Amino acid sequence: MSETIETIRYTADVVCIRGGDVLLIERGWPPHKGQLALPGGHVDPGETSRAAAARELLEETGIDVDPGDLELIGVYDAPGRDPRGRYVTAAYLVAVPNGITARAGDDAAAVRWVPLGNARGLAFDHTDIVTTARYRLRAPF
């Protein structure tokens, strides 16, 4: 019997909430270049997913949060969720003060605050992640 070895890449994503809005980035390159997505990215060697989520949020949006303030929403591992191959992400939720601003950095072409109920049609399976966060927050649809 021959076994196929599958490479799995580990990532972390962040649902960052300010008031009733969620912070989204416009992807700067493929896959899904130009589409809106959650801030996030690869977990580096020796790094936890929680630390990676906080680092990626800072690198892509300029928002600095304590990793301890991130609440795990869930793990997303459906085959085919990323066209580059098998990616497993740990998704986190964090709320920031109303006055906080974001700026595009790293691989984000732009950032934008979007009403939580309007965050649909996002890259990858990020709409599903935001929907789970909305249920967690008991936010109106």
Side-chain angles (χ1 to χ4, degrees):
M1 177 181 213
S2 174
E3 291 186 33
T4 301
I5 297 175
E6 182 178 33
T7 299
I8 298 175
R9 292 163 186 89
Y10 192 29
T11 61
D13 294 307
V14 182
V15 178
C16 182
I17 303 294
R18 182 185 73 181
D21 296 334
V22 60
L23 181 59
L24 300 175
I25 64 159
E26 180 182 322
R27 288 188 52 82
W29 55 62
H32 306 294
K33 182 178 180 179
Q35 276 191 275
L36 294 178
L38 294 169
H42 291 92
V43 177
D44 289 340
E47 186 177 44
T48 66
S49 61
R50 190 177 304 272
R55 176 183 51 76
E56 288 287 346
L57 183 64
L58 178 61
E59 288 175 1
E60 293 184 355
T61 71
I63 294 178
D64 192 9
V65 298
D66 185 308
D69 291 338
L70 296 166
E71 177 186 344
L72 182 66
I73 297 170
V75 174
Y76 294 79
D77 63 355
R81 65 177 295 275
D82 191 307
R84 297 170 292 188
R86 188 68 186 266
Y87 279 75
V88 174
T89 197
Y92 292 92
L93 174 65
V94 69
V96 296
N98 280 336
I100 204 147
T101 58
R103 59 166 173 68
D106 200 22
D107 64 347
V111 294
R112 107 181 30 137
W113 293 98
V114 174
L116 196 52
N118 294 345
R120 296 186 180 95
L122 305 179
F124 308 104
D125 56 357
H126 291 183
T127 301
D128 295 338
I129 296 171
V130 171
T131 298
T132 301
R134 287 170 56 193
Y135 280 114
R136 181 78 47 93
L137 293 167
R138 295 181 175 82
F141 291 85

